[in-house]
């Protein structure tokens, strides 16, 4: 069968059920490597993904949904309706960078960073793009790489298979800036603790561990507290608010 509708038309051989688990693709930023260590840079890049075009052109409006949170909307008990959203807007992205001191002052097409201590050239960001996944390949190479370069961010696209990405992104010395990540399937939301609590990131890095679950090194004490309450909740009801607070952060 070529289409979802054809599957539906053959109920004797196929059954369609509501998804109860989630796989996700997420753009991952190295939070201890400048300039992606700056939340303003991360937020600006988040506004560069033309999700509508990607969904209709690459995914053919057939597979999955575009997420604003690592918890899918189908998980109504866990999904936060107040999570921050990043609609596609290169104009907004440029304004975020300018407001934070990133702008091109010499008309060479590359932004520089300015603060009270001086002017700084941005290092070239290494953007690892999975070569073995057609959707992640298109997402990184054909959408995000182009948009970041157009915004004036110095970036090089490194199209590599998963074994190379594992060695360069998820292990010491974590010499990357951005990665087309993908995780799952998940059946409950407590993976937010397992993946993003700082003890599995920066604590591992400081200790010299060769690899880390939280290899983006997201570090936020408020998130840590809420994720602990999620992971070790005494019952399902007690986990709901912490799960939503984690997403909002």
């Amino acid at each position: 069968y070529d289409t979802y509708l054809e599957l539906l038309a053959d109920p004797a051989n196929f059954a369609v059920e509501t998804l109860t688990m989630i796989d996700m693709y997420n753009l991952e930023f190295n939070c201890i490597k400048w300039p992606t260590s700056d939340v303003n840079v991360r937020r600006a890049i988040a506004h560069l993904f033309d999700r509508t075009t990607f969904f209709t052109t690459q995914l053919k409006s057939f597979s999955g949904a575009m997420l604003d949170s690592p918890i899918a909307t189908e998980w109504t008990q866990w999904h936060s309706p107040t999570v921050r959203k990043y609609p596609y807007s290169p104009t907004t992205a440029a304004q975020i960078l300018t407001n934070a001191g990133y702008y091109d002052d010499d008309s060479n097409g590359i932004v520089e960073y300015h603060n009270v201590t001086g002017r700084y050239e941005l290092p070239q960001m290494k953007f690892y793009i999975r070569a073995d996944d057609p959707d992640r390949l298109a997402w990184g190479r054909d959408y995000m790489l182009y948009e970041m370069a157009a915004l004036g961010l110095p970036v090089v696209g490194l199209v590599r298979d998963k074994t190379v990405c594992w060695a360069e992104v998820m292990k010491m010395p974590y010499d990357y800036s951005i990665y087309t990540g993908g995780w799952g399937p998940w059946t409950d939301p407590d993976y937010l603790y397992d993946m993003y609590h700082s003890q599995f990131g920066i604590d591992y890095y400081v200790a010299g561990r060769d690899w880390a679950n939280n290899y983006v090194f997201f570090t936020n004490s408020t998130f840590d507290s809420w994720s602990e309450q999620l992971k070790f909740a005494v019952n399902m009801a007690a986990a709901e608010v912490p799960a939503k607070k984690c997403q909002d952060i």
Side-chain angles (χ1 to χ4, degrees):
Y1 295 101
D2 295 322
T3 70
Y4 174 68
L5 293 178
E6 289 180 53
L7 292 178
L8 290 180
D10 188 5
N13 293 304
F14 294 97
V16 179
E17 297 183 359
T18 301
L19 181 68
T20 55
M21 68 177 97
I22 177 176
D23 294 83
M24 68 176 182
Y25 291 159
N26 53 309
L27 200 62
E28 297 178 333
F29 301 99
N30 189 335
C31 295
I32 59 172
K33 190 177 183 67
W34 189 67
T36 50
S37 58
D38 188 337
V39 68
N40 295 293
V41 173
R42 300 197 299 269
R43 287 175 175 169
I45 294 173
H47 280 288
L48 296 179
F49 182 28
D50 186 354
R51 305 191 315 168
T52 299
T53 300
F54 182 82
F55 188 63
T56 57
T57 303
Q58 178 65 25
L59 300 181
K60 310 297 184 185
S61 302
F62 176 81
S63 175
M66 308 309 293
L67 302 176
D68 294 301
S69 166
I71 301 295
T73 54
E74 291 92 342
W75 287 3
T76 54
Q77 180 181 9
W78 307 113
H79 176 77
S80 172
T82 56
V83 70
R84 184 193 295 266
K85 293 179 172 57
Y86 294 90
Y88 174 62
S89 176
T91 300
T92 299
Q95 191 61 58
I96 290 172
L97 289 182
T98 299
N99 291 346
Y102 298 88
Y103 53 87
D104 180 10
D105 63 8
D106 56 9
S107 301
N108 69 345
I110 302 296
V111 301
E112 295 82 29
Y113 177 57
H114 311 76
N115 63 17
V116 294
T117 65
R119 171 189 183 275
Y120 303 90
E121 301 281 346
L122 273 65
Q124 188 174 64
M125 295 184 290
K126 293 182 178 180
F127 182 11
Y128 279 90
I129 302 168
R130 281 284 289 273
D132 51 300
D133 183 325
D135 293 333
R136 278 192 271 182
L137 175 61
W139 175 32
R141 182 191 61 193
D142 303 334
Y143 286 78
M144 299 307 302
L145 189 62
Y146 166 80
E147 294 282 1
M148 283 186 278
L151 193 61
L153 292 171
V155 58
V156 58
L158 302 172
V159 179
R160 303 289 189 269
D161 68 26
K162 62 182 180 181
T163 56
V164 175
C165 290
W166 158 253
E168 298 297 328
V169 173
M170 303 179 192
K171 298 180 66 178
M172 281 285 193
Y174 306 101
D175 186 21
Y176 80 100
S177 296
I178 311 169
Y179 174 53
T180 51
W183 289 101
W186 312 111
T187 57
D188 54 62
D190 67 352
Y191 75 87
L192 294 174
Y193 168 85
D194 301 321
M195 292 295 298
Y196 300 116
H197 193 287
S198 62
Q199 71 171 314
F200 304 122
I202 195 64
D203 290 359
Y204 278 19
Y205 182 80
V206 171
R209 290 278 293 269
D210 188 49
W211 63 272
N213 290 0
N214 180 5
Y215 57 84
V216 298
F217 302 105
F218 174 68
T219 305
N220 184 293
S221 60
T222 305
F223 176 90
D224 285 351
S225 177
W226 282 117
S227 68
E228 290 165 8
Q229 293 177 61
L230 166 62
K231 182 72 173 181
F232 304 109
V234 295
N235 54 46
M236 299 288 276
E240 288 186 27
V241 169
K244 293 174 182 178
K245 292 291 186 181
C246 287
Q247 296 165 71
D248 290 342
I249 294 170

